[in-house]
């Protein structure tokens, strides 16, 4: 018999953090929607950026490509993601 890895187990803590990240990303998307209310180009551009970040955060909670894991590992750290969004 070989040594093969079984299915990876996700702990309750990991599920909780993923849910928190999804809720925060959803709030980013809602905040982006409010940028479009004014209807000017100057208020819409930050809305587009916030919308892209929110959608990317939700997508990366379900799909984690290896190239992103290797080069953008800070996106899976709460503090790293926060600093990335602030900058």
């Amino acid at each position: 018999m070989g040594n093969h890895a079984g299915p990876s187990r996700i702990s309750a803590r990991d599920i909780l953090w993923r849910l928190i990240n999804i809720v925060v990303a959803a709030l980013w998307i809602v905040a982006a929607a409010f940028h479009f209310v004014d209807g000017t180009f100057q208020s819409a551009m930050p809305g587009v950026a916030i919308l892209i970040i929110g959608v990317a955060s939700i997508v990366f909670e379900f799909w984690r490509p290896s190239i992103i894991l290797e080069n953008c590992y800070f996106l899976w750290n709460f503090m790293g993601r926060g600093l990335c969004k602030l900058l």
Side-chain angles (χ1 to χ4, degrees):
M1 293 200 189
N3 249 355
H4 63 83
S8 63
R9 302 220 183 252
I10 299 175
S11 68
R13 193 168 123 193
D14 288 338
I15 292 172
L16 177 67
W17 279 111
R18 283 188 177 191
L19 288 174
I20 290 171
N21 286 335
I22 290 170
V23 168
V24 169
L27 291 174
W28 277 82
I29 292 171
V30 170
F34 283 110
H35 279 276
F36 294 106
V37 172
D38 189 21
T40 64
F41 182 76
Q42 290 178 336
S43 67
M45 288 312 294
V48 169
I50 294 170
L51 183 67
I52 290 170
I53 290 171
V55 169
S57 294
I58 290 176
V59 168
F60 288 151
E61 283 303 319
F62 298 107
W63 177 61
R64 296 183 177 193
S66 61
I67 190 77
I68 300 292
L69 286 173
E70 292 171 6
N71 297 318
C72 300
Y73 57 88
F74 58 89
L75 289 175
W76 281 265
N77 180 323
F78 190 71
M79 188 169 73
R81 188 178 291 168
L83 288 174
C84 177
K85 289 178 182 177
L86 286 175
L87 297 175

